[in-house]
Amino acid sequence: MSQTRGKYDFCIGLVLAMSSSIFIGGSFILKKKGLLRLARKGSMRAGQGGHAYLKEWLWWAGLLSMGAGEVANFAAYAFAPATLVTPLGALSVLVSAILSSFFLNEKLNLHGKIGCLLSILGSTVMVIHAPQEEEVETLDEMSHKLGDPGFVVFATLVVIVSLILICVVGPRHGQTNILVYITICSVIGALSVSCVKGLGIAIKELFAGKPVLKHPLSWILLLSLTVCVSTQINYLNRALDIFNTSIVTPIYYVIFTTSVLTCSAILFKEWQHMGADDIIGTFSGFLTIIVGIFLLHAFKDVNFTLANLPLSLRKDDRAANGTLLSTYDSFNDDEESSSCLGEMQSTESLSARRNGSLSAF
């Protein structure tokens, strides 16, 4: 019975995580469409400090879509393991890229299409090999997990590293090193996911009629989540303001997801119930998603399609043949010039000897 219940919760969490990606990915398109409509009307743009988008229904539709996506993502953590839910967040980038090519006339080049395919394949592999059952079902069990010495050490290290980066490293190198601000919001994000997981369990118990509001852990998790999310938003906005989005997004995804997987392994010990094949499959899927996200972002401004591929190969062949021919020609020219130079030198030496002989007489 518990195994059937675990699979049922897993499927609910999977559907919620995928729905979250669709809603969040679509929200960017709706917001962008609303802002473009305002730009065509001649209204002051948001980047210039204007707030005319508040009167645009498409922008509000995008905001509601993003809100629905965040709620679905929040609920997904209550049903499925964080090992599954967090990496699937990359699908929102995939959905946004695909929809923008249809509705915003933004071209998706060959690298982007390959990146989308790899992201889908990696997500599929992670879903197949993710842990199927969830151990923690009550706040008392969550409280016991949070008091585990391994997690206490991990959380303490995260707080210490974050404070060092915020107070010491950030003011000195935050404007020049992209890893500073991204690392802050990524490692803090691992703690925020743990808080979301606990609050999701609390909400499930609340619907079951249990006195969750009297449990002190509920309020501790809510306060911790508020602090963590505020810190994340602050430093992620700083990173996006200073550095290129195409660089920030894949780096943030990699560090954030790695931090969450590490935190999940320490807190929930999901990896202990996974076989070697499932662990290898999970990491392989994760690395495949990383490569897909990198291809999707790093080469998005390169105008390269499948039609250019044979042409570029022919150009490369011509260039290689041309290099060989020019090398051969230059070698022949060098031979001819060296032979001519040798003849001239021999003629000059012969005339010099003759002149020397005549002067000797």
Side-chain angles (χ1 to χ4, degrees), residues 4 21 48 60 136 151 157 226 262 281 284 328 332 336:
T4 305
S21 297
Q48 299 172 346
W60 282 105
V136 183
F151 179 75
L157 287 176
T226 304
T262 305
S284 299
Y328 179 75
N332 288 338
E336 292 176 1

Side-chain angles (χ1 to χ4, degrees), residues 27-36 58-59 62-63 66:
S27 70
F28 293 111
I29 307 303
L30 291 171
K31 286 184 176 181
K32 185 70 174 180
K33 289 284 286 185
L35 293 173
L36 290 175
L58 272 176
W59 186 89
L63 184 64
M66 177 168 285

Side-chain angles (χ1 to χ4, degrees), residues 127-204:
V127 170
I128 293 172
H129 293 282
Q132 301 291 314
E133 296 182 11
E134 187 57 45
E135 289 186 344
V136 183
E137 295 181 354
T138 64
L139 278 179
D140 292 330
E141 292 179 1
M142 187 67 181
S143 178
H144 178 71
K145 292 282 187 182
L146 292 173
D148 185 76
F151 179 75
V152 172
V153 172
F154 173 78
T156 304
L157 287 176
V158 167
V159 173
I160 292 174
V161 170
S162 300
L163 288 175
I164 292 174
L165 290 173
I166 292 171
C167 301
V168 180
V169 182
R172 296 179 182 178
H173 307 287
Q175 300 289 325
T176 55
N177 193 327
I178 191 173
L179 293 177
V180 177
Y181 291 149
I182 293 180
T183 303
I184 293 172
C185 55
S186 297
V187 296
I188 292 293
L191 297 181
S192 68
V193 168
S194 302
C195 296
V196 167
K197 187 74 175 176
L199 288 174
I201 295 171
I203 292 174
K204 287 174 67 176

Side-chain angles (χ1 to χ4, degrees), residues 173-349:
H173 307 287
Q175 300 289 325
T176 55
N177 193 327
I178 191 173
L179 293 177
V180 177
Y181 291 149
I182 293 180
T183 303
I184 293 172
C185 55
S186 297
V187 296
I188 292 293
L191 297 181
S192 68
V193 168
S194 302
C195 296
V196 167
K197 187 74 175 176
L199 288 174
I201 295 171
I203 292 174
K204 287 174 67 176
E205 286 195 310
L206 182 64
F207 288 137
K210 296 182 179 180
V212 174
L213 299 178
K214 295 181 181 180
H215 203 297
L217 183 59
S218 302
W219 301 103
I220 294 173
L221 290 174
L222 182 60
L223 179 61
S224 301
L225 179 62
T226 304
V227 174
C228 290
V229 170
S230 301
T231 306
Q232 276 184 270
I233 293 174
N234 181 26
Y235 286 97
L236 183 59
N237 285 337
R238 292 191 186 188
L240 291 171
D241 185 51
I242 298 170
F243 304 101
N244 195 326
T245 307
S246 62
I247 301 175
V248 172
T249 303
I251 295 177
Y252 173 66
Y253 172 78
V254 172
I255 301 178
F256 172 69
T257 308
T258 303
S259 302
V260 171
L261 293 178
T262 305
C263 181
S264 177
I266 296 172
L267 180 59
F268 301 109
K269 297 179 174 59
E270 296 166 344
W271 304 94
Q272 291 183 357
H273 306 283
M274 297 173 64
D277 55 341
D278 288 331
I279 294 175
I280 294 173
T282 300
F283 277 107
S284 299
F286 177 47
L287 292 175
T288 305
I289 295 174
I290 290 174
V291 175
I293 294 295
F294 176 77
L295 288 175
L296 188 60
H297 280 83
F299 302 100
K300 67 177 184 179
D301 295 327
V302 178
N303 188 15
F304 187 78
T305 61
L306 193 61
N308 303 127
L309 188 60
L311 181 62
S312 62
L313 290 176
R314 287 198 297 271
K315 286 182 179 179
D316 291 341
D317 291 339
R318 278 202 235 77
N321 293 333
T323 304
L324 291 174
L325 289 174
S326 61
T327 305
Y328 179 75
D329 293 338
S330 61
F331 178 74
N332 288 338
D333 292 340
D334 290 341
E335 275 193 332
E336 292 176 1
S337 60
S338 60
S339 61
C340 293
L341 183 61
E343 291 177 0
M344 290 175 62
Q345 288 178 346
S346 60
T347 305
E348 289 177 355
S349 60

